[in-house]
């Protein structure tokens, strides 16, 4: 829309505000020329409705295409002042109106206002004639009343009322002045003969022509006219036309004939010889055109520039030898050629724009001019396609380049915007400028981890401080906005802050282990790492990291059965009647590691008789491999090695004692030497003997004392009364110890009977009744039942000394719960199940 306000101020003020993309307003002032420096032109801030603050912050300035700056802007006061003396005549010559055009440009946001300062004329120039004197020769014959003589015009640099207004001729005896208004606004001055000249009276007449302007004060210029009266009858030359017309194309080469003017003279001889000349005084007509003195051919001798002059008026004079003249004019129209490229002027531009700039943000303002006229001067501008900018046109060849869609520095960091302007001439001329625009960064991208989640492995028993791996996040922004730091998010792993497990390097994202991990305690744990950029405000993202601890073969197998007790004796009984493949016992071992590291195999390392037993490689079952014979020793000692499958593997050995016997005494007789603590027994025997001796001694002593006392008392009582000797009963010591039944119903008992004497004691046993039977029931759930019966063998009440020791071998209840015992039972019975045996069951 257009909004115009007319105001009256120091000068006529005309404001038009056009809203076209960027705000474009127009202000116009009128001032006289020759104002002193610093004079006020107008209050631009007020007239544009801008605050002076805006002028300062927007770095308001004047943009002009002229090299000279006549007007300056005072931002603080918001006024336009005269900067240099303005001479209207120098600025515009005869052109009216004379005006200065410039723009006031503001930034942030970019906008501009057009300002026109019209310069009015003051009467500072007097009319002048090019020559101070002009001579005419007039013959009596032609000097009849009404004869016309064309006079030179006076020129006044001022315009309008200050230009030449009137002429005065003195004296007025013979001639009168006649003024013709010309098409170009000037006046032709003619002198008309009023009264015939009398040669006898005046051979020469002098006249003064005065030109005066209409200014205040009035100014004038004069010219002397000298007329010589001839006495020869003569004819004046006469042009065939008063006005000739011609057209010339601009830039025509020198020598181009524009037109030919012709004058005829009725006289014969030298009086009929005509000479042509150009009489123009002002301007540069005589520098551009030349007339051939004899032929009247007008040719080009200078540069014809349509942009400087669109037409010329050439004043021509024909003069014969007699001095008689005629004059005519040649109007030359200049034809425009498309010889000027559009001129692109960058009025104001940004070199950097933020990527979050709003739509329609003005980036650059452009003014384009083409000096040619018509179609040759009609200019259209456009920019390269597929860029997020638009070239908006407003009035008067002003363009503004604005943002047309969202910018994204991450997509394009800079643009080379080429503005091309072409005119509509044939052929068309065009020119272009390339603007380089940088897009500045805004923190609009969060860091992005290279992966959506991370998994890393670390082998247990690592050294604390070991780097596990590195997380990496990238940020598409620039510089500080892309500087990523890594932060460990607070969380806890089984009640312990994760920060005591791992640390994350803020700069590099390297994750270090802070402690040595034990696979048997923790198999994996998870936490989150945050990546944060250095923008303001910062943006962040997070990622989950799972650390998996890998098992190392750091635990040897543990043998659960047979239990290796320090001094006690455990033996498996094999009846001599046992068949091939008789299951003697089963070595049970576990490994707290996992996988291959817990895959156990059993091997027989040493044996009393290797040919008699074998160990199941996988299940640890000890079986006979041939029929037991009578020759086989009762006492068999097997060393079984249990190895896991780790690299390197770890192992444990277990000693299994086997008794090949049918009866317990047989076993006992053979196995007592297993009681390696013979020395202890000897000592014991010694102490027992010693104790007995002491006791016997004391007993006998007591007995003697008592008898002595009794005898003494008896002797006394014989006097008083009679009595019997006392009876002291004796009970032998008896030791019986039965430990609590183990959770595993696999109880092995053995009995040892000792005498104070020797192993060939007189201690008597009943039937050695310990019977071990294994019942395997594969069809059922596989629960192994070990039925075991026990009969007391210590029934000899007469034995002087009896030891009954019953030892129950089970599993340490600290390791296994009752439930687990069932599982373990399962595992004991089934080889295949063993493979799936993992510590998690525990
Ligand atoms: C813009 O021009 C400059 C210099 O010619 C060049 O280095 C840059 O790569 C150009 N940018 C684009 C986006 O074409
Ligand atoms: C982690 O990122 C998710 C989105 O990926 C977000 O929902 C969550 O709030 C973030 N957690 C933290 C602690 O910043």
């Amino acid at each position: 829309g257009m909004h115009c306000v007319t105001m009256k101020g120091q000068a006529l003020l005309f404001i038009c505000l056009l809203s076209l993309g960027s705000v474009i307003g127009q202000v116009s002032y009128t001032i006289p020329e020759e104002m002193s420096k610093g004079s006020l032109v107008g209050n631009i801030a007020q007239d544009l409705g801008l605050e002076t603050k805006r002028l300062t912050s927007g770095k308001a300035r004047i943009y002009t295409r002229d090299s000279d700056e006549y007007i300056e802007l005072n931002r603080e006061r918001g006024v336009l002042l005269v900067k240099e003396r303005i001479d209207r005549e120098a600025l515009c010559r005869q052109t009216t109106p004379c005006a200065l055009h410039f723009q006031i440009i503001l930034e942030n946001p970019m906008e501009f206002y057009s300002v026109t300062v019209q310069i009015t004329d003051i009467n500072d120039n007097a009319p002048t004639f090019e020559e101070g004197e002009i001579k005419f020769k007039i013959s009596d014959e032609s000097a009849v009343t009404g004869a016309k003589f064309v006079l030179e015009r006076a020129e006044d640099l001022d315009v309008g009322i200050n230009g030449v207004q009137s002429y005065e001729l003195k004296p007025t005896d013979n001639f009168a002045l006649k003024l013709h208004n010309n098409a170009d606004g000037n006046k032709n001055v003619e002198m008309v003969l009023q009264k015939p000249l009398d040669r006898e009276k005046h051979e020469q007449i002098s006249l003064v022509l005065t030109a005066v302007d209409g200014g205040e004060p009035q100014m004038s210029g004069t010219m002397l006219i000298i007329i010589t009266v001839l006495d020869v009858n003569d004819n004046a030359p006469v042009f065939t036309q008063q006005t000739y017309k011609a057209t010339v194309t601009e830039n025509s080469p020198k020598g181009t004939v524009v037109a030919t003017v012709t004058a005829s003279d009725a006289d014969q001889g030298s009086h009929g010889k005509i000479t042509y000349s150009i009489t123009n005084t002002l301007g540069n007509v005589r520098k551009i055109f030349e007339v051939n003195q004899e032929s009247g051919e007008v040719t080009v001798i200078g540069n014809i520039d349509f942009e400087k002059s669109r037409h010329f008026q050439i004043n021509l004079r024909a003069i014969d030898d007699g001095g008689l003249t005629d004059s005519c004019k040649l109007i030359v129209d200049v034809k425009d050629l498309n010889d000027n490229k559009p001129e692109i002027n960058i009025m104001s531009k940004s070199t950097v724009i933020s990527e979050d700039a709003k739509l329609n943000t003005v980036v650059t303002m452009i003014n384009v001019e083409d000096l040619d006229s018509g179609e040759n001067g009609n200019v259209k501008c456009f920019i390269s396609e597929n860029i997020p900018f638009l070239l908006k046109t407003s009035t008067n060849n002003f363009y503004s380049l604005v943002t047309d869609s969202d910018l994204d520095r991450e997509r394009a960091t800079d643009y080379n915007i080429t503005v091309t302007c072409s005119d509509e001439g044939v052929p068309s001329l065009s020119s272009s400028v390339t603007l380089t625009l940088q897009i500045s960064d805004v923190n609009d991208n969060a860091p992005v981890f290279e992966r959506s989640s991370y998994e890393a492995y670390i082998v247990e028993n690592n050294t604390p401080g070991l780097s596990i791996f590195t997380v990496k996040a990238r940020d598409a922004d620039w510089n500080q906005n892309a500087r990523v730091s890594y932060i460990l998010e607070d969380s806890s792993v089984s009640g312990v802050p994760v920060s005591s497990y791992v640390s994350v390097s803020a700069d590099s994202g390297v994750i270090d282990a802070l402690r040595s991990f034990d696979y048997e305690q923790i198999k994996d744990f998870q936490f989150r790492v945050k990546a944060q950029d250095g923008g303001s405000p910062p943006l962040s993202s997070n990622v989950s990291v799972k650390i998996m601890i890998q098992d190392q073969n750091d635990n040897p197998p543990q043998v659960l059965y047979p239990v290796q007790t320090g001094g006690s004796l455990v033996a498996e009984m094999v009846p001599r009647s046992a068949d091939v493949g008789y299951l003697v016992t089963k070595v049970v071992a576990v490994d707290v590691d996992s996988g291959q590291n817990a895959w156990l195999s059993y091997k027989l390392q040493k044996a009393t008789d290797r040919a008699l037993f074998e160990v199941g490689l996988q299940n640890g079952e000890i079986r006979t491999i041939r029929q037991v014979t009578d020759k086989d020793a009762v006492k068999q000692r097997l060393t079984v090695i249990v190895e896991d499958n780790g690299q390197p593997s770890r192992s444990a050995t277990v000693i299994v004692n086997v008794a090949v016997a049918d009866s317990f005494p047989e076993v006992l007789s053979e196995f007592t030497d297993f009681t390696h603590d013979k020395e202890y027994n000897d000592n014991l025997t010694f102490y027992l003997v010693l104790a007995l001796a002491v006791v016997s001694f004391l007993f006998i002593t007591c007995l003697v004392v008592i008898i002595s006392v009794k005898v003494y008392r008896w002797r006394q009582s014989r006097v008083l009364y009679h009595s019997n000797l006392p009876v002291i009963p004796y009970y032998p010591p008896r030791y019986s110890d039965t430990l609590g039944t183990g959770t595993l119903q696999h109880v092995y008992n053995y009995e040892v009977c000792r005498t104070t004497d020797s192993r060939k004691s007189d201690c008597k046993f009943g039937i050695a009744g310990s019977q071990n039977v294994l019942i395997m029931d594969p069809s059922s759930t596989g629960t192994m039942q070990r039925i075991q019966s026990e009969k007391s063998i210590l029934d000899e009440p007469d034995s002087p000394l009896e030891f009954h020791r019953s030892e129950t071998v089970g599993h340490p209840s600290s390791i296994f719960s009752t439930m687990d015992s069932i599982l373990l039972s399962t595992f004991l019975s089934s080889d295949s199940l063993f493979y799936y045996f993992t510590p998690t069951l525990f």
Side-chain angles (χ1 to χ4, degrees), residues 372-616:
D372 295 322
S373 66
E375 303 217 316
N376 293 339
N378 272 356
V379 180
K380 292 262 183 313
C381 294
F382 49 90
I383 52 169
S384 20
E385 282 182 359
N386 300 324
I387 55 170
F389 299 96
L390 187 71
L391 196 60
K392 277 193 178 176
T393 180
S394 50
T395 52
N396 307 328
N397 290 335
F398 286 105
Y399 289 87
S400 40
L401 183 70
V402 299
T403 55
D404 186 35
S405 64
D406 289 336
L407 302 174
D408 185 3
R409 192 204 63 84
E410 287 71 42
R411 204 173 57 225
T413 57
D414 58 353
Y415 289 95
N416 291 332
I417 305 161
T418 302
V419 180
T420 307
C421 296
S422 311
D423 62 29
E424 292 173 354
V426 179
S428 163
L429 294 176
S430 65
S431 50
S432 61
V433 288
T434 298
L435 307 159
T436 299
L437 187 65
Q438 302 278 333
I439 310 298
S440 67
D441 189 41
V442 165
N443 192 23
D444 54 355
N445 285 282
V448 177
F449 280 98
E450 284 173 343
R451 290 163 63 180
S452 59
S453 67
Y454 289 90
E455 275 187 6
Y457 296 89
I458 182 169
V459 177
E460 64 171 333
N461 303 320
N462 57 293
T463 50
L466 182 80
S467 294
I468 307 175
F469 81 118
T470 306
V471 292
K472 187 120 195 92
R474 300 199 183 281
D475 192 302
D477 290 320
W478 186 72
N479 210 2
Q480 191 65 27
N481 290 340
R483 186 165 300 163
V484 178
S485 27
Y486 302 91
I487 300 153
L488 180 65
E489 294 262 5
D490 252 355
S491 64
S492 66
V493 176
S494 50
V496 182
V498 76
S499 55
S500 68
Y501 278 71
V502 288
S503 71
V504 178
S505 160
D507 293 337
S508 62
V510 171
I511 295 179
D512 289 343
L514 289 183
R515 54 166 69 178
S516 181
F517 295 110
D518 183 1
Y519 177 81
E520 283 71 41
Q521 272 173 22
I522 183 164
K523 293 188 174 44
D524 56 60
F525 61 96
Q526 239 176 336
F527 53 90
R528 297 191 87 84
V529 175
K530 184 163 87 172
Q532 182 171 302
D533 64 27
S536 171
L539 295 175
S540 68
S541 62
N542 64 61
V543 74
S544 104
V545 179
K546 186 174 186 179
I547 305 280
M548 290 190 276
I549 293 142
Q550 285 182 318
D551 187 39
Q552 234 184 6
N553 194 19
D554 57 345
N555 290 287
Q558 278 180 307
V559 178
L560 302 179
Y561 181 81
V563 173
Q564 300 292 290
T565 52
S568 62
L569 200 61
V570 183
E572 306 294 336
M573 291 273 287
V574 178
R576 289 195 183 275
S577 58
D579 285 337
V580 174
Y582 176 84
L583 176 66
V584 180
T585 186
K586 178 166 175 151
V587 175
V588 179
V590 292
D591 194 311
V592 291
D593 294 322
S594 68
Q596 295 280 325
N597 295 336
W599 191 355
L600 302 182
S601 56
Y602 303 83
K603 278 175 212 149
L604 194 58
Q605 197 184 34
K606 267 196 288 182
T608 313
D609 184 352
R610 274 199 170 268
L612 186 54
F613 301 102
E614 67 166 11
V615 177

Side-chain angles (χ1 to χ4, degrees), residues 7 11-16 25-31 41-42 44 47-48 99-101 114-118:
M7 295 174 75
L12 182 72
L13 192 67
F14 183 67
I15 304 175
C16 287
Q26 270 186 339
V27 189
S28 175
Y29 298 102
T30 304
I31 56 165
V41 176
I44 188 81
D47 297 337
L48 291 176
L100 293 169
H101 298 278
S114 286
V115 180
T116 304
V117 177
Q118 199 164 323

